[in-house]
Amino acid sequence: MLVVAALGGNALLRRGEDVTAENQRDNVKQAVRVLADIVKAGHRLVITHGNGPQIGLLALQNQAYDADKAFPLDILGAESEGMIGYLIEQELENQLGEGYAVATLITQIAVDADDPHFDDPSKFIGPVYDKEQAEELKERHGWTIAKDGDNWRRVVPSPEPKKIQDLKILRILLEQQVITICIGGGGFRSCVSRTAATPE
């Protein structure tokens, strides 16, 4: 049986935790124990994952370097796919041992450049702030912010997906019994820029 497992970005880096590689490794290790059991039971496995805290960290690092030369969110999303995929892949291999093939596929999602979600940001990224901090960052960086529970966070566009550009490669990996980590970044609602490809 084919099992598709989705790991939330906040499961990989929990609210309030320090944004460190060690914390993410520890959280991934716990999540992967269950995933390894699925594989050992004889099932094929595809893993997708969120990336809210991680892409938020990359965006802050990126902006700290030079705000005028900041990379767009689709490129940062690809970076987060590589980072998270690496952690999941490594831990799966540690727990499964030799004999299983695991691969991370940096996945492109095509969206409509005129999607109204570009004008109505809703995807939370990065750390939480109190309202005063959030308002200050909004003014300084031109962010859109929104209430997230008792706190505030940055929100970015999350357009509707139209097509998985790399579906052919994903099918090849599955046919070859490769455990595949793909479509990272809020499941199917990847963080992309207005310049993303539109479907044919």
Side-chain angles (χ1 to χ4, degrees):
M1 179 171 67
L2 175 63
V3 176
V4 178
L7 300 176
N10 289 303
L12 302 173
L13 189 64
R14 295 178 183 141
R15 186 185 297 270
E17 282 186 327
D18 285 337
V19 184
T20 65
E22 291 76 18
N23 282 337
Q24 291 191 80
R25 281 186 190 280
D26 289 343
N27 292 332
V28 166
K29 189 176 292 188
Q30 293 179 45
V32 166
R33 285 194 191 108
V34 177
L35 300 179
D37 287 342
I38 291 170
V39 175
K40 289 174 184 175
H43 303 296
R44 292 184 299 151
L45 179 64
V46 172
I47 303 166
T48 73
H49 57 80
N51 70 343
Q54 294 79 11
I55 196 172
L57 168 64
L58 291 172
L60 287 170
Q61 291 173 337
N62 188 35
Q63 201 146 23
Y65 168 68
D66 188 336
D68 294 329
K69 298 177 183 176
F71 281 77
L73 287 173
D74 60 323
I75 294 176
L76 297 182
E79 284 189 52
S80 74
E81 283 186 86
M83 176 175 65
I84 295 167
Y86 173 78
L87 292 171
I88 296 171
E89 188 175 325
Q90 188 176 68
E91 192 53 41
L92 263 176
E93 289 170 344
N94 288 342
Q95 293 197 26
L96 290 172
E98 295 183 7
Y100 294 91
V102 185
T104 299
L105 177 63
I106 305 300
T107 317
Q108 299 177 81
I109 305 294
V111 302
D112 185 344
D114 295 321
D115 189 305
H117 289 95
F118 280 114
D119 298 317
D120 186 23
S122 61
K123 176 177 170 139
F124 290 108
I125 68 168
V128 296
Y129 304 100
D130 62 36
K131 188 169 184 181
E132 185 177 342
Q133 288 175 308
E135 291 287 356
E136 180 186 334
L137 290 165
K138 175 184 175 180
E139 290 302 315
R140 187 189 314 163
H141 300 303
W143 290 356
T144 302
I145 59 170
K147 202 165 187 336
D148 183 15
D150 294 330
N151 298 289
W152 292 76
R153 289 176 78 188
R154 181 183 179 189
V155 287
V156 297
S158 183
E160 293 288 344
K162 296 295 182 184
K163 181 181 178 183
I164 301 171
Q165 297 290 94
D166 308 290
L167 193 56
K168 187 180 292 186
I169 299 167
L170 177 56
R171 286 183 173 138
I172 291 169
L173 291 170
L174 292 177
E175 286 167 5
Q176 296 301 312
Q177 306 300 309
V178 176
I179 300 164
T180 307
I181 304 155
C182 61
I183 316 177
F188 287 94
R189 302 191 76 182
S190 296
C191 236
V192 292
S193 75
R194 240 181 226 279
T195 56
T198 52
E200 298 169 358

